[in-house]
Amino acid sequence: MSIKNAFLLLTSFLSISSAAVWPKPVTFTNGTQVLWLDPEDVQVSYQSSNTSLYSRSLRAQNSPSSAFEIPSSPIRYPKRLTSFSSHDLFRRQAYSNGSSPAITDIIPQAIMRMEAALFQSSLTPWKFYPKNAAFEPSRTSNSTTISSITIALSGSLNTTNTTAPDESYSISISTSGNVLISANSQVGGVRALDTFTQLFYQTADPTAGIYTPLAPVYIKDSPAFAHRGLNLDISRNYMAPKDVIRTLDAMAFNKLNRLHLHASDAQSWPLEIPALPELSQKGAYESGLAWSVMDLQQVQTYGAYRGIQVYLEIDTPGHTAAIALAYPDLIAAFNEQPWSPYSAEPPSGQLKLDSPDVTKFITTLLTDLLPRVSPFSSLFHTGGDEINAEVYTLDPTVGSNSTSVIQPLLQAFVNNAHGVVRSFDMTPVVWEETLLTWNLTLPSDTIIQTWQGQTSLDAVIAKGHKALFGSYDYWYLDCGYGQWLDPNKTNAQTPIAPPYTDYCSPMKNWREVYSYDPTQNYTATEKQLIVGGEVHMFGELTDPVNLDGKLWPRAAAAAEVMWSGPVGPAGVEESVTRRLAEMRERLVLRGVQANMVQMTWCLQNIGDCSL
C-alpha cells in the first residue's frame, strides 16, 4: 500500500470512528479498540430506579408474541409493496380485542428494534473507505467481545401525553466489553438505543460478525429543542397508515419526536369521525381511502412506542371545502368558478363564520375526536392559515370582506374551538395568520406555527408567544418540483408559463435544509419562547410512491438541526455529508427508499469533492 493510500485509509477510518452518529451528540468521545458483538455472549439487563425489570440474552432473531413486544418495520424489502408488513402484525397483535394496548413500558420493544438493527440490518461501510482498502478488523480467538448491556432508568415511566419528556441519555462502552446506558425516562432510553445501533458495523462476510471500532465510547446527549416535528399531509393525496408507520420508524431513528398529521383539507376528508359518518363516506376520494378509528389509534400507538407523539391538525375555517360534500349548508363559496379569487387552490370553500350550525358541527367533531387522540399527545392543531376574506362576501352569515367585520367573528369561532380543545386538557396549535394577520387574542400558552419566513417568527416572538419554526423557504420539502396547475389556454394572462416553477421554488436540497438557523439573532430570553420546529411535506405532488425519497435524507438534515442545534451555512462541510450519507445507508437497509446524499466516489476519496 502506498503512503498516500495508507494516509487516506487512516483519515477515512478516523472520520468514521470519531463522528458517525446522526444526529450529532452533545458529547462523543471514543478510542480505536475493536469490540465484537455476539448475541449468545451478551446479557441485556433493564432496570428502573435500581429495580431490575428483566434480564436476558441478546437475540439475533425475534419472534414477538405479544403487543408488549411489537416489531419495527421490515428491515429488508426485496419489493417494498409485497413485503412482510409489520403494520399488519401490529394490527393483529395489538388490536385483536378492538382496543389499544396499555402503553406502560416502551423499552422492551426498543430493545427488540435494537436487536433487529444490529443483527439484521447492520451496515458494511465499504463506501466510506478508499477502493479495495482492507478496512475490516481481523477476528481472532483473543478478540474482545461485548459481554453486557445494562439499561438503567432513573425517572418517570410516563410515555405519552407529555409536552416535553426528558430525552437525555448517556452511553458508556468500556474496553472490557461492558455497556451502560443511562436515561431519566423511557423516551431517553429509546433515543440511546437508536444511537447505540449506529456504533456498529457488519463485516462483508456475514459469518464474521458485528463489531464497533470505537471503544472506549462515551456519549452524553440531549436535544436542543423539545418539539422536533414532521408535518405530513395525508389529505391532498391519500397516505395509508402503513406509509405513515414506515415514516415513523425513520423519524425515530433520526430522533424526531412529533408527527403532525395534516389530516384534512379542501380536496378530501380521509378520517373517519363516527359522530359525523358522512364526512369520510362522502368526503374521501373514494370508498376505502379513509383512516378508520382503529387506523388512527394504531398509528398513534406505534408512534408512542418509539417516543413520538402523533398529533392531528383539522384545518379550520379555511381549507374545508371537502366538508361540503357531506354537509353543504356549512360551507360558503364552495367550488366557485373561477376559484382563484376565493382560495389558494381548488376547490374553494370555507366554513361559514357566524353560523350556529357550524358551531355545533365543530363541537361535535372535536368532542368525538379529541378523547381518542388526547391520550397520545397534549397538542391539537386547529389550523387557521390562508383564510380568504373574499369568501365571506358570499357567506350569508357575514356578507363582507372587511377585516373589521370578519375579525370578531373569527375570534368567536376560534374561542369556541379552543374551548373544546382545552376542555380535554390539550394545548391548541395554530398557524401564524391567526395571530399576525387577524390579530386574534390567544392565550400565551397557544403555540403559533410560523411558515412565512424569519419576519413571521420575529413577530410572534415579539408578541411573547410560544413558537414553532419551519419557514417555507428552507423547510418546505414539497417545493421545487414544478407546477401542479396547467395553463388555461383561454387566459392570455395565465401565470402558468415556462419554466413552470411552483411558488416556493427552488427545491430545498439537504444542505439548504441543514443551513437553516432561525434562532441566531435572539436573546436567551427570547429563545425560551421557541418550542422547536417542524419540517413540512405537503401533498399536492406527493403520494406513497415518492414519499420516502422526498422526505429522506432531507428530513434527517432538519432532525439534526432540531436535535443538535442550528449551525447555519458555516456548518455545512464534508464531515456532515459523510455522517448523513451513513445515516442514509442505514435507512435504506431498514426499507426506507431514501435519496442519495453523495456520490460513492466522493465518499471513498475524502477531500476530492470539495471546492
Side-chain angles (χ1 to χ4, degrees):
M1 179 183 294
S2 70
I3 294 176
K4 177 181 178 182
N5 286 340
F7 175 76
L8 287 173
L9 175 58
L10 176 62
T11 303
S12 182
F13 180 79
L14 291 176
S15 174
I16 288 182
S17 297
S18 62
V21 173
W22 190 278
K24 186 177 182 180
V26 174
T27 301
F28 183 6
T29 62
N30 65 277
T32 57
Q33 179 176 327
V34 174
L35 296 177
W36 295 86
L37 186 63
D38 297 326
E40 64 272 12
D41 296 335
V42 182
Q43 193 73 11
V44 56
S45 301
Y46 170 37
Q47 61 189 45
S48 177
S49 300
N50 298 317
T51 300
S52 178
L53 299 181
Y54 77 76
S55 179
R56 64 168 173 82
S57 297
L58 212 59
R59 302 169 184 160
Q61 300 291 331
N62 290 305
S63 299
S65 58
S66 72
F68 192 64
E69 295 183 334
I70 303 164
S72 68
S73 286
I75 299 301
R76 299 181 187 275
Y77 288 78
K79 290 185 179 180
R80 176 153 53 100
L81 296 180
T82 59
S83 66
F84 167 79
S85 173
S86 66
H87 168 276
D88 294 334
L89 180 57
F90 185 102
R91 179 189 293 270
R92 292 198 302 272
Q93 292 178 336
Y95 295 90
S96 58
N97 63 356
S99 62
S100 173
I103 304 174
T104 57
D105 197 336
I106 64 176
I107 293 297
Q109 188 231 6
I111 292 171
M112 294 182 66
R113 291 200 309 275
M114 174 194 72
E115 292 168 324
L118 289 171
F119 300 115
Q120 299 174 40
S121 65
S122 270
L123 173 66
T124 302
W126 63 269
K127 285 187 179 181
F128 298 88
Y129 292 93
K131 186 176 181 179
N132 298 324
F135 63 86
E136 290 186 343
S138 299
R139 187 165 191 181
T140 69
S141 58
N142 295 322
S143 295
T144 305
T145 60
I146 288 178
S147 57
S148 68
I149 300 174
T150 300
I151 302 161
L153 304 187
S154 59
S156 171
L157 292 181
N158 184 30
T159 61
T160 60
N161 200 22
T162 301
T163 300
D166 187 342
E167 298 177 83
S168 63
Y169 67 89
S170 66
I171 300 174
S172 178
I173 304 177
S174 70
T175 54
S176 60
N178 295 308
V179 177
L180 175 61
I181 294 173
S182 300
N184 293 325
S185 73
Q186 289 188 65
V187 176
V190 169
R191 304 291 178 250
L193 291 171
D194 282 327
T195 295
F196 182 74
T197 64
Q198 294 184 58
L199 303 175
F200 289 85
Y201 301 93
Q202 169 74 61
T203 55
D205 176 3
T207 63
I210 308 297
Y211 68 94
T212 178
L214 307 175
V217 172
Y218 178 71
I219 294 174
K220 188 174 179 62
D221 204 7
S222 60
F225 297 100
H227 185 122
R228 306 179 308 282
L230 165 64
N231 171 24
L232 181 62
D233 183 354
I234 64 170
S235 55
R236 287 184 173 90
N237 283 302
Y238 179 71
M239 293 286 179
K242 67 179 181 180
D243 302 304
V244 176
I245 278 175
R246 186 176 68 254
T247 301
L248 283 167
D249 280 322
M251 289 176 64
F253 199 35
N254 284 276
K255 297 185 174 64
L256 292 167
N257 69 348
R258 300 288 189 277
L259 177 58
H260 164 184
L261 290 180
H262 184 79
S264 64
D265 214 288
Q267 292 79 17
S268 82
W269 188 283
L271 188 67
E272 180 185 11
I273 305 294
L276 300 164
E278 291 187 341
L279 267 180
S280 59
Q281 291 171 2
K282 296 182 178 181
Y285 274 124
E286 67 172 34
S287 177
L289 295 188
W291 288 28
S292 68
V293 169
M294 184 182 293
D295 287 333
L296 177 58
Q297 187 181 69
Q298 174 189 6
V299 168
Q300 289 194 290
T301 304
Y302 198 89
Y305 272 94
R306 285 148 183 79
I308 299 171
Q309 293 182 30
V310 180
Y311 78 100
L312 267 62
E313 176 189 357
I314 301 296
D315 203 350
T316 59
H319 292 271
T320 49
I323 294 172
L325 299 175
Y327 303 99
D329 292 341
L330 303 182
I331 298 297
F334 174 63
N335 202 20
E336 289 291 325
Q337 299 298 328
W339 52 265
S340 56
Y342 302 102
S343 60
E345 56 188 52
S348 64
Q350 293 175 179
L351 284 166
K352 293 177 180 177
L353 207 50
D354 193 23
S355 164
D357 290 338
V358 169
T359 301
K360 180 180 178 181
F361 170 83
I362 291 294
T363 301
T364 301
L365 168 64
L366 297 181
T367 302
D368 179 299
L369 182 60
L370 296 184
R372 296 189 277 114
V373 300
S374 60
F376 299 96
S377 178
S378 59
L379 302 179
F380 187 81
H381 202 309
T382 62
D385 63 317
E386 297 181 325
I387 299 170
N388 188 298
E390 291 303 314
V391 165
Y392 295 118
T393 64
L394 304 181
D395 179 351
T397 73
V398 181
S400 174
N401 61 3
S402 170
T403 299
S404 63
V405 174
I406 296 171
Q407 198 270 354
L409 298 176
L410 183 59
Q411 180 75 65
F413 178 94
V414 170
N415 287 349
N416 174 65
H418 286 191
V420 181
V421 172
R422 291 181 185 281
S423 73
F424 290 95
D425 295 323
M426 303 182 77
T427 300
V429 185
V430 295
W431 290 106
E432 64 177 63
E433 290 95 321
T434 57
L435 182 70
L436 302 182
T437 301
W438 295 102
N439 196 30
L440 298 191
T441 299
L442 300 168
S444 60
D445 65 333
T446 307
I447 297 174
I448 313 299
Q449 182 156 31
T450 65
W451 66 278
Q452 295 187 96
Q454 188 65 40
T455 56
S456 294
L457 183 60
D458 293 345
V460 171
I461 297 301
K463 287 178 175 286
H465 273 277
K466 294 181 179 180
L468 294 174
F469 56 78
S471 180
Y472 79 95
D473 50 356
Y474 284 93
W475 278 15
Y476 268 37
L477 303 186
D478 55 299
C479 293
Y481 287 87
Q483 272 290 356
W484 50 270
L485 293 167
D486 289 314
N488 184 341
K489 297 303 184 180
T490 67
N491 180 8
Q493 304 301 317
T494 177
I496 311 305
Y500 303 107
T501 55
D502 53 51
Y503 86 97
C504 53
S505 287
M507 187 189 79
K508 285 65 176 140
N509 62 66
W510 77 258
R511 289 180 178 85
E512 183 75 353
V513 171
Y514 191 79
S515 71
Y516 180 39
D517 183 0
T519 67
Q520 58 183 321
N521 295 321
Y522 294 139
T523 66
T525 301
E526 290 171 331
K527 287 181 180 180
Q528 291 178 4
L529 293 171
I530 299 176
V531 180
E534 291 185 355
V535 63
H536 305 268
M537 179 56 76
F538 287 105
E540 287 87 351
L541 294 176
T542 305
D543 70 2
V545 175
N546 64 359
L547 176 64
D548 287 8
K550 292 179 78 170
L551 277 179
W552 312 103
R554 294 184 296 160
E560 177 154 302
V561 172
M562 291 184 278
W563 178 274
S564 306
V567 295
V572 178
E573 58 186 19
E574 186 176 16
S575 64
V576 175
T577 301
R578 296 179 66 79
R579 283 192 300 109
L580 184 56
E582 182 170 317
M583 168 54 76
R584 184 262 178 179
E585 296 299 310
R586 293 183 185 274
L587 286 172
V588 170
L589 286 169
R590 294 181 176 209
V592 178
Q593 304 301 303
N595 275 347
M596 289 287 294
V597 172
Q598 182 60 289
M599 180 169 58
T600 302
W601 170 268
C602 300
L603 297 176
Q604 291 187 325
N605 295 274
I606 293 179
D608 275 12
C609 296
S610 298
L611 286 175

